[in-house]
Amino acid sequence: MQSRLKIPLLFGQDVIHGYKTTFPIPLAEAASWDLDAMTAATRVAATEASASGIHWTFAPMVDIARDPRWGRVMEGAGEDTYLGSKIAYARVKGFQGNKLGDVNAIMACAKHFAAYGAAIGGRDYNSVDMSEKTLWETYLPPFKATVDAGVATFMNSFNDINGVPSTGSKMLQREILKGKWGFKGFVVSDWGSIGEMKNHGNVKDDYEAALSAITAGSDMDMESRCYKNNLTQLLKDKKIDIALINDAVKRILYKKFELGLFDDPYRFCNAEREQAALNNPEHAKLAREVAAKSIVLLKNSNNLLPLSKNTKTIAFIGPLVKAVKQNKGFWDVEIPGIDSNFIVTQWEGLQNKLGANTNLLYAKGCDIEGTNKDGFAEAIDVAKQADVVILSIGERRDMSGEAKSRSNINIPGVQEDLLKELLATGKPVVVLINAGRPLVFNYTAENAPAILYTWWLGSEAGNAIADVLFGDYVPSAKLPITFPRSVGQVPIYYNHLNTGRPAQNDQNHIYNSSYIDESIFPKYEFGYGLSYTTFQYSNLILNKKKIKASEKIEADVTITNTGKYDGEEIVQLYLRDKVGSISRPIMELKDFKKIKIKVGESKTLHFTIDKEKLSFYNQQLQWVAEPGEFELMIGASSRDIRLKDNFELLK
Ligand code: BGC
C-alpha cells in the first residue's frame, strides 16, 4: 500500500440495476410493487459487485419524478412518495445486506439530494423552484426512508433549489440530513458538482466553491478537485475550522472501518468468490422472475393474450427483436472480459419457449429512428404468413438516462407506421413497447389489440417476455408513474390538488381547470395494469368510523379471483383528507398489498390506518393530523377505485 497512514482505498461504481446480471431498470422494477423482489435483486447486485472488489454503489436513486421528459425517470421508482419511500428502503436493505462488514455487503448511496427530479421543463440538470412544503411532503420522504434503512452514504445533486445549489446547501446537508435526521454516514458530491457551483453563479472560483461545499456538509469531492486544491489554503486563511475537515474525514474513515478495510484492504478481492458469484445460475433465475413481474399489460382486447404455445406460425417483427444490448437499458455495467452474449434476446426468449410445432418468422421492418420504410414490405409479407404477429418497438436504450431528456416522447421513427401496415393485414398484433420512460403512443394504444410495456428488462429480457406472452407468468405489474396523452399535459400526476375550479370531464371547458385541446385525463394512470385474470373487490369493512388520534382503524377488504388464471393483484389504498388547514391532494396512496389468488379463491386483506397515515406538513412545516373527515378508497389503480368509505378523526 502506498498510503503514508495506511488508509485503504474505497472503490465505488454505479451498480444501478445489477452488476453482471442485469435486472430491469429501476423504474421497471418499481412497476412490480414487489419490495421483496427489489431487495433480492439489489442483494444479487451487491453479491456480484462485492466479489469483484467494489465497496460502494451510487444507488439507489430515490428522486421522485413526475416528468417523463426527464431522462432519469428510468433510474428511480416513479412519481409517488409513499411507494418511492418503500422502494428506497427495500433497495438500501438489499445492497447493504445484514450489515456493512459482511463481505457481500456494499455501501448504498441515496441520491440525488435533493429534488433533482423536479428539473424545470424536464431538462436534466435544470434549476428547481419549489416550496418548502412540496420539498418536505413529496421529495424528501424517500431520502428519510433510506436513513431509516441505515444507508451509509448520500450524494448531493447538480440542481439548485430556489437559487441555492444542493451541493452548497447547508439547509439540506447540515440541518436536515445530519441534524434533524441524525445521519452518521458521509455525503459525496455529484460528479464535479462542487466546481459547477461557479456556473450556477454562487461562487467566484474553486476556492469559494470548496468553502461553500465543506461548510454546507459535502464530505467528499467527486472529481472537481476543488477540495484537493483548496482545503489546505482555506485552513491557512482561517476561512474554515479544522473541525469541519475532521468531521468529513471521520465520517469517511468510519465507513472504511465498518467495511473492514483497515483489517484487510483487499478483503473484497477474491477471484474464487468472484467466479462463483458471477456464474451463479440462481442470479439469472431471479433476474427472469423480476423481469416478468415488471412487465405491464396495458391492453388485451378479446383476451388475445396469453398466446397458445401451439400457435402454428408467429411473425416476430421489429427493430428490437434481435437487439442484444438494448435490453440492458441505461446504466448497465461493462465488465472487461464479459460481453453482452450474456443477454437473452427477445428472439432467443421465444425460441427457448416454443417447440418444433411453431414456425417462428422474423423481419426487422425498420430502424428505431429514421424515415426509412424499405423493410416494410418484407415485414408485411412475413405477417401475412403468420397466425399472430408480435411487434417489438420503442426507444433506443440510451434515449433515457442521464442527460437524455426529450421534448418529444413519442415512439421514434416510423415504428408506429409499421404497426399501421401490419394491422392492415388483418392479423392480430401484440405490441411490445421497450422504453426507459412513459412514452406517448396514442395510435398504438387505440389500434393495437394487445400491448405489453416491457421497459428495459435486463439479462433475461427475452425469457421473461416469452413467459408473459405465453402465460407462464400472468402479468401483475402496475404503472409507478402516470402516462400522459401528450407532452403538453406534463407534468401530470395523480395526487394533485383539486383547484378552485376542478374539471369533471373533457366535454365542458367553461372556466374550469382543463385544456381546450386535450383531455384532462392521462392515457394510463398511476397504479394501472391489467392481468390475464380478473379480480372482484368486495366487503370493505371498517371497524370504526370515528377515531381519536391515539386510535387506529382496521379496514378489511375481500378480493376474489373471478377469472380463468391464478394471478396476483396489487390492491391500493388511497386516502383523501377532505378539509385541511392547507389544501390536500384529491387522493394519496397510503398503503398497498400484492397478493396471489388462485382461480375462484377469495382472500381478505387487512389494512391499518393510524395517525401517521393521516398526517401531513402544515404551514409551519409541522407533521400533524388534523381532525375532520377522510375518504378511504380501495382500488386497482388510482382511477379504478372499487370501494369507498368515510371516517372521521375526532378532536
Ligand atoms: C451522476 C451520478 C453518478 C455519477 C458517477 C453523475 O453524472 O449524476 O448519479 O453516480 O455521475 O458516475
Side-chain angles (χ1 to χ4, degrees):
M1 255 176 39
Q2 305 287 317
S3 165
R4 181 172 57 92
L5 296 171
K6 305 251 176 294
I7 295 174
L9 285 176
L10 266 184
F11 288 95
Q13 187 163 20
D14 290 284
V15 180
I16 306 294
H17 53 113
Y19 183 70
K20 181 195 168 195
T21 307
T22 311
F23 286 86
I25 56 167
L27 184 63
E29 265 188 11
S32 73
W33 298 49
D34 191 326
L35 303 173
D36 291 342
M38 287 180 253
T39 299
T42 40
R43 190 83 290 280
V44 164
T47 305
E48 294 184 359
S50 63
S52 298
I54 308 295
H55 310 126
W56 182 21
T57 176
F58 305 128
M61 185 189 100
V62 303
D63 296 307
I64 294 299
R66 295 164 158 185
D67 191 331
R69 292 172 298 182
W70 189 51
R72 293 191 90 164
V73 289
M74 56 79 49
E75 206 180 328
E79 77 184 39
D80 186 63
T81 302
Y82 179 82
L83 178 61
S85 300
K86 295 279 176 204
I87 292 175
Y89 188 95
R91 287 186 167 144
V92 169
K93 287 289 182 197
F95 283 130
Q96 298 194 168
N98 288 334
K99 62 171 185 359
L100 290 185
D102 287 351
V103 81
N104 62 6
I106 59 176
M107 294 195 296
C109 179
K111 72 187 189 185
H112 306 84
F113 198 53
Y116 179 42
I120 293 171
R123 185 157 50 81
D124 208 1
Y125 314 129
N126 205 3
S127 294
V128 169
D129 196 38
M130 177 180 287
S131 70
E132 267 199 278
K133 174 185 154 287
T134 302
L135 182 68
W136 278 96
E137 187 165 296
T138 305
Y139 289 85
L140 292 185
F143 287 100
K144 174 62 166 53
T146 67
V147 174
D148 294 342
V151 72
T153 72
F154 259 57
M155 185 185 292
N156 57 37
S157 58
F158 287 126
N159 57 287
D160 68 84
I161 307 180
N162 307 335
V164 180
S166 301
T167 307
S169 171
K170 207 170 167 183
M171 188 256 291
L172 283 175
Q173 297 167 104
R174 287 234 184 266
E175 288 165 23
I176 298 176
L177 178 60
K178 293 175 180 176
K180 207 172 163 65
W181 294 350
F183 173 67
K184 297 280 181 285
F186 68 87
V187 181
V188 62
S189 79
D190 202 348
W191 186 271
S193 70
I194 297 180
E196 287 174 16
M197 283 199 284
K198 290 174 300 196
N199 294 339
H200 282 284
N202 291 76
V203 296
K204 185 167 84 222
D205 52 21
D206 288 353
Y207 178 87
E208 283 191 6
L211 173 62
S212 169
I214 193 82
T215 310
S218 296
D219 300 304
M220 184 188 273
D221 177 358
M222 188 189 325
E223 208 279 328
S224 85
R225 281 151 228 259
C226 290
Y227 279 7
K228 184 168 174 288
N229 298 334
N230 294 284
L231 285 185
T232 318
Q233 195 57 44
L234 282 165
L235 261 183
K236 282 188 192 148
D237 296 346
K238 301 210 167 18
K239 295 276 187 200
I240 52 172
D241 195 287
I242 189 70
L244 272 190
I245 298 187
N246 282 344
D247 178 53
V249 168
K250 230 190 297 177
R251 285 170 179 272
I252 297 165
L253 290 184
Y254 191 77
K255 289 300 162 201
K256 295 187 182 187
F257 273 113
E258 255 185 294
L259 287 165
L261 297 177
F262 277 98
D263 300 328
D264 175 6
Y266 306 111
R267 65 192 294 259
F268 284 74
C269 307
N270 176 326
E272 228 171 87
R273 192 164 79 86
E274 183 179 23
Q275 274 308 310
L278 300 193
N279 296 298
N280 184 341
E282 289 303 311
H283 295 183
K285 200 168 150 243
L286 182 71
R288 180 174 182 163
E289 282 167 22
V290 177
K293 287 179 177 187
S294 305
I295 298 171
V296 188
L297 177 65
L298 293 180
K299 188 174 178 187
N300 194 18
S301 301
N302 303 322
N303 296 324
L304 175 57
L305 291 173
L307 300 174
S308 158
K309 285 180 203 160
N310 297 320
T311 310
K312 272 221 169 104
T313 306
I314 296 176
F316 201 4
I317 298 173
L320 287 153
V321 173
K322 291 199 174 175
V324 184
K325 266 190 130 179
Q326 295 290 348
N327 292 293
K328 285 181 139 192
F330 200 81
W331 285 123
D332 62 316
V333 177
E334 291 286 343
I335 310 173
I338 295 173
D339 67 14
S340 35
N341 294 333
F342 184 57
I343 305 277
V344 180
T345 66
Q346 299 178 14
W347 178 253
E348 288 161 349
L350 254 68
Q351 279 184 323
N352 294 343
K353 181 69 68 187
L354 298 167
N357 292 342
T358 305
N359 189 12
L360 192 57
L361 307 175
Y362 167 73
K364 185 174 173 197
C366 62
D367 291 326
I368 293 173
E369 288 174 287
T371 53
N372 192 333
K373 296 186 175 178
D374 290 354
F376 277 27
E378 187 199 3
I380 293 163
D381 184 48
V382 161
K384 283 183 178 160
Q385 298 170 48
D387 301 299
V388 61
V389 177
I390 305 168
L391 176 67
S392 184
I393 54 179
E395 288 187 317
R396 260 192 352 258
R397 71 174 185 134
D398 57 357
M399 290 174 89
S400 56
E402 186 177 351
K404 301 293 184 294
S405 294
R406 292 180 65 193
S407 65
N408 168 350
I409 52 172
N410 293 348
I411 294 184
V414 293
Q415 298 179 92
E416 284 195 295
D417 296 344
L418 175 61
L419 170 63
K420 202 172 189 176
E421 300 283 345
L422 296 175
L423 288 171
T425 64
K427 302 289 178 169
V429 183
V430 178
V431 180
L432 311 177
I433 302 182
N434 305 260
R437 57 154 64 77
L439 292 175
V440 168
F441 47 92
N442 294 322
Y443 176 79
T444 305
E446 268 124 57
N447 295 285
I451 306 171
L452 291 168
Y453 213 77
T454 62
W455 319 95
W456 299 118
L457 294 171
S459 312
E460 290 288 325
N463 285 333
I465 287 171
D467 287 343
V468 170
L469 282 170
F470 295 93
D472 287 334
Y473 183 80
V474 173
S476 63
K478 307 248 187 191
L479 298 176
I481 185 166
T482 304
F483 276 43
R485 286 167 192 268
S486 64
V487 87
Q489 291 182 316
V490 172
I492 179 169
Y493 47 92
Y494 83 94
N495 53 352
H496 56 82
L497 300 182
N498 200 36
T499 80
R501 296 184 174 193
Q504 306 299 340
N505 56 50
D506 284 333
Q507 281 73 53
N508 176 10
H509 302 294
I510 305 302
Y511 300 115
N512 62 27
S513 183
S514 60
Y515 298 104
I516 57 169
D517 61 350
E518 180 56 283
S519 167
I520 52 167
F521 300 110
K523 191 74 203 171
Y524 300 107
E525 71 274 12
F526 174 82
Y528 174 81
L530 303 172
S531 168
Y532 296 153
T533 193
T534 48
F535 298 99
Q536 189 189 63
Y537 289 50
S538 62
N539 292 338
L540 172 60
I541 300 169
L542 275 55
N543 71 336
K544 288 178 195 157
K545 293 291 182 77
K546 291 180 196 287
I547 53 163
K548 291 192 222 120
S550 57
E551 295 175 330
K552 292 174 184 172
I553 290 180
E554 310 291 343
D556 286 348
V557 59
T558 303
I559 314 292
T560 307
N561 184 337
T562 48
K564 296 202 178 79
Y565 297 85
D566 295 347
E568 290 159 88
E569 175 70 325
I570 300 166
V571 179
Q572 301 156 44
L573 182 150
Y574 297 91
L575 290 180
R576 177 174 187 173
D577 185 346
K578 291 190 176 172
V579 180
S581 57
I582 45 178
S583 305
R584 305 301 307 140
I586 58 161
M587 64 198 311
E588 293 176 282
L589 183 74
K590 290 291 178 183
D591 209 343
F592 66 87
K593 291 201 184 338
K594 184 169 185 175
I595 38 152
K596 277 190 189 163
I597 315 187
K598 294 208 166 85
V599 175
E601 197 188 356
S602 292
K603 279 193 179 168
T604 298
L605 296 185
H606 184 76
F607 294 98
T608 302
I609 297 149
D610 57 10
K611 186 180 165 209
E612 184 67 15
K613 289 202 181 334
L614 307 180
S615 299
F616 65 94
Y617 288 101
N618 68 9
Q619 237 160 347
Q620 291 71 42
L621 294 178
Q622 295 150 336
W623 182 244
V624 292
E626 293 179 348
E629 262 208 20
F630 289 79
E631 185 173 23
L632 183 151
M633 294 159 266
I634 303 278
S637 83
S638 58
R639 276 187 82 187
D640 186 5
I641 297 300
R642 306 286 180 88
L643 301 164
K644 284 183 186 184
D645 207 341
N646 292 303
F647 63 89
E648 192 184 339
L649 178 63
L650 300 168
K651 280 199 184 121

